[in-house]
Coordinates of all heavy atoms in Angstrom, one line a residue:
L296 N 81.5 87.8 103.8 CA 81.6 87.4 105.2 C 80.3 87.8 106.0 O 79.9 87.2 107.0 CB 82.8 88.1 105.9 CG 84.1 87.3 106.0 CD1 85.1 88.2 106.7 CD2 83.8 86.1 106.8
L297 N 79.8 89.0 105.6 CA 78.7 89.6 106.4 C 77.4 88.7 106.2 O 76.6 88.7 107.1 CB 78.4 91.0 105.8 CG 79.1 92.2 106.4 CD1 78.7 93.4 105.6 CD2 78.8 92.4 107.9
S298 N 77.3 88.1 105.1 CA 76.0 87.6 104.7 C 75.5 86.4 105.5 O 74.4 86.2 105.7 CB 75.9 87.4 103.2 OG 76.5 86.2 102.9
G299 N 76.5 85.6 105.9 CA 76.1 84.3 106.5 C 75.3 83.4 105.6 O 74.6 82.5 106.0
A300 N 75.5 83.7 104.3 CA 74.7 82.9 103.3 C 75.7 82.6 102.1 O 76.9 82.7 102.3 CB 73.5 83.8 102.8
E301 N 75.1 82.2 101.0 CA 76.0 81.8 99.8 C 76.0 83.0 98.8 O 74.9 83.4 98.4 CB 75.5 80.5 99.2 CG 76.5 80.1 98.1 CD 76.4 78.6 97.8 OE1 76.9 77.8 98.5 OE2 75.8 78.4 96.7
S302 N 77.2 83.4 98.5 CA 77.3 84.5 97.5 C 78.0 84.0 96.3 O 79.1 83.4 96.4 CB 78.1 85.7 98.0 OG 77.6 86.1 99.3
R303 N 77.4 84.2 95.1 CA 78.1 83.8 93.9 C 78.6 85.1 93.2 O 77.8 85.9 92.7 CB 77.1 83.1 93.0 CG 77.6 82.4 91.8 CD 76.5 81.7 91.0 NE 77.1 81.3 89.7 CZ 77.8 80.3 89.6 NH1 78.0 79.5 90.6 NH2 78.3 80.0 88.4
I304 N 79.9 85.2 93.1 CA 80.5 86.5 92.6 C 81.0 86.2 91.2 O 82.0 85.5 91.0 CB 81.7 87.0 93.5 CG1 81.2 87.0 95.0 CG2 82.2 88.3 93.0 CD1 80.1 87.9 95.3
V305 N 80.2 86.7 90.2 CA 80.5 86.4 88.8 C 81.6 87.4 88.3 O 81.6 88.5 88.9 CB 79.2 86.5 88.0 CG1 79.5 86.1 86.5 CG2 78.2 85.5 88.6
N306 N 82.3 87.0 87.3 CA 83.3 88.0 86.7 C 84.4 88.3 87.7 O 84.9 89.4 87.8 CB 82.6 89.3 86.3 CG 83.4 89.9 85.2 OD1 84.2 89.3 84.5 ND2 83.2 91.2 85.0
C307 N 84.8 87.2 88.5 CA 85.8 87.4 89.5 C 87.2 87.2 88.9 O 87.5 86.1 88.4 CB 85.6 86.3 90.6 SG 86.9 86.3 91.9
P308 N 88.1 88.2 88.8 CA 89.3 88.0 88.1 C 90.3 87.0 88.8 O 90.2 86.8 90.0 CB 89.9 89.4 88.1 CG 89.3 90.1 89.3 CD 87.9 89.5 89.4
D309 N 91.1 86.4 88.0 CA 92.1 85.4 88.5 C 93.4 86.2 88.8 O 94.2 86.3 87.9 CB 92.3 84.4 87.3 CG 93.1 83.2 87.8 OD1 93.4 83.1 89.0 OD2 93.5 82.4 86.9
L310 N 93.5 86.6 90.0 CA 94.7 87.4 90.4 C 95.3 86.8 91.7 O 94.6 86.1 92.4 CB 94.2 88.8 90.8 CG 93.4 89.6 89.8 CD1 92.8 90.8 90.4 CD2 94.2 89.9 88.6
S311 N 96.6 87.1 91.9 CA 97.1 86.6 93.2 C 96.5 87.2 94.4 O 96.4 86.6 95.4 CB 98.7 86.7 93.2 OG 99.1 88.0 93.1
D312 N 96.0 88.5 94.2 CA 95.3 89.1 95.3 C 93.9 88.5 95.6 O 93.5 88.4 96.8 CB 95.1 90.6 95.0 CG 96.2 91.5 95.6 OD1 97.2 90.9 96.0 OD2 96.0 92.7 95.6
T313 N 93.2 88.0 94.6 CA 92.0 87.3 94.9 C 92.2 86.0 95.5 O 91.5 85.6 96.5 CB 91.1 87.1 93.6 OG1 91.9 86.7 92.5 CG2 90.3 88.4 93.2
E314 N 93.3 85.3 95.1 CA 93.7 84.0 95.7 C 94.0 84.3 97.2 O 93.6 83.5 98.1 CB 94.9 83.4 95.1 CG 94.6 82.8 93.7 CD 93.6 81.6 93.8 OE1 93.6 80.9 94.8 OE2 92.7 81.5 92.9
A315 N 94.7 85.4 97.5 CA 95.1 85.7 98.9 C 93.8 86.0 99.7 O 93.7 85.5 100.9 CB 96.0 86.9 98.9

Side-chain angles (χ1 to χ4, degrees):
L296 262 180
L297 272 176
S298 78
E301 186 161 283
S302 309
R303 188 180 169 79
I304 310 302
V305 183
N306 207 20
C307 176
D309 185 11
L310 309 170
S311 59
D312 266 11
T313 44
E314 285 300 322

